[in-house]
Amino acid sequence: METLDPWSSQIIDYEKLFKGFGIETMKIRDEKLKENKLFTRGIIFGHRDFYKWWNDFRNGKRVSILTGMMPSGPFHLGHKMVIDQLVWYQNLGISITFAIADIEARTVRKIDADKVKETVKSYLANAFALGLKPSQDIYVQSNRSNPYYRLADLLSSKMTFAEVEAIYGNMTPGKMISAFTQASDILHKQLPDYFGKHKILVPVGPDQDPHIRLSRDLADRIGFIKPSATYHGFARGLDGGKMSSSKPTSYIGLDEPIDVVKRKVANALTGGRNTLEEQKKLGGQPEKCIIFELYKYHFEDDDAKLSERERMCRAGEIMCGECKKQLIEKITKWLEKHQHKKDKEMARAEKFVEENIDYPF
Ligand code: TRP
């Protein structure tokens, strides 16, 4: 059996996800989903049991959303995509739980206490500025509740070492702790201490699928409802590789100075040809272009305008320089506004960190 290590930086083989691991292709079966460009544009490309969850929601039954982030590096556009989803569901009136995986950051990534605190502050301020309501259920793993920890402990008794290895491959003690902690993130809202049994949707990137499979197996073994999940495409890095917080040239950070962002976008890989003449003749290749992807994922809400940009690119009517210039203008405007909002949220984020994080060492 193939394994997938959520902590490595391997490039995900999408074919394998569908064939090997049983993720289903996302098909739009309800008009309401067409209000969200992440669905219509195929950015949310796969799911497990999404419609079981969605139908409960549409039938007025209790449902909720839960996802999490590990505070291990700068908050970038990949994180924004997750918060954008939470905000959309929140605006449909669905209850959101947002787990900040500080235990994972410390046990697996070995990030020191002060750095974790700083990072959590930034993640929260950014999330609030993007529209996540502070009244949602937001917590850090290190400061949840007894039922949540007891659940993590007991879940560990429901699996053998071989089963865990069959999902994750090579384990370390820290990874083991954070896997069962994450399973408790995903399952604990079904405890009687919280909402009781109900359907939960976990929107994640495909690298998190091992945790989803672990949690679904465990749910079955303790008589809980299996959590549903959706999977969104990874934004590629600006350099064409993987977007990774350990490679600053690969991402756009929402805390970065605007001049730095401008420079990064100006240097990003495009789907352009070797020479201007060639590009005018053959047209560009938007499917290879990071700039086009940025428009598609984040900076062009209007479908008609996006298609027109794609058409012009393929027809050789717009060159990469111009397309980048327009994007830089859009990003600059957006980022200035966002950073202003974020600054106003910093005090609230700081207070949360002070009240919620306290490590013995
Ligand atoms: N492991 C996730 C990450 O690396 C963070 C996370 C923790 C999470 N708990 C979760 C994601 C629960 C989804 C659901 O970012």
Side-chain angles (χ1 to χ4, degrees), residues 62 202 254 264 280 300:
R62 176 186 282 288
V202 189
L254 272 63
K264 286 188 183 183
K280 282 184 180 151
E300 183 54 85

Side-chain angles (χ1 to χ4, degrees), residues 67-108:
T67 193
M69 280 178 196
M70 170 165 52
S72 61
F75 190 96
H76 55 57
L77 287 176
H79 299 107
K80 172 180 176 286
M81 205 197 309
V82 176
I83 302 293
D84 286 348
Q85 292 179 59
L86 296 184
V87 171
W88 189 70
Y89 289 118
Q90 160 185 286
N91 294 342
L92 295 177
I94 299 168
S95 152
I96 311 290
T97 305
F98 182 49
I100 296 178
D102 66 331
I103 295 292
E104 184 180 16
R106 298 212 59 197
T107 60
V108 180

Side-chain angles (χ1 to χ4, degrees), residues 234-261:
F234 265 127
R236 279 178 302 161
L238 297 171
D239 51 7
K242 211 182 143 156
M243 188 181 280
S244 155
S245 44
S246 56
K247 245 194 326 167
T249 52
S250 76
Y251 62 80
I252 295 179
L254 272 63
D255 297 332
E256 289 187 299
I258 292 186
D259 281 347
V260 172
V261 172

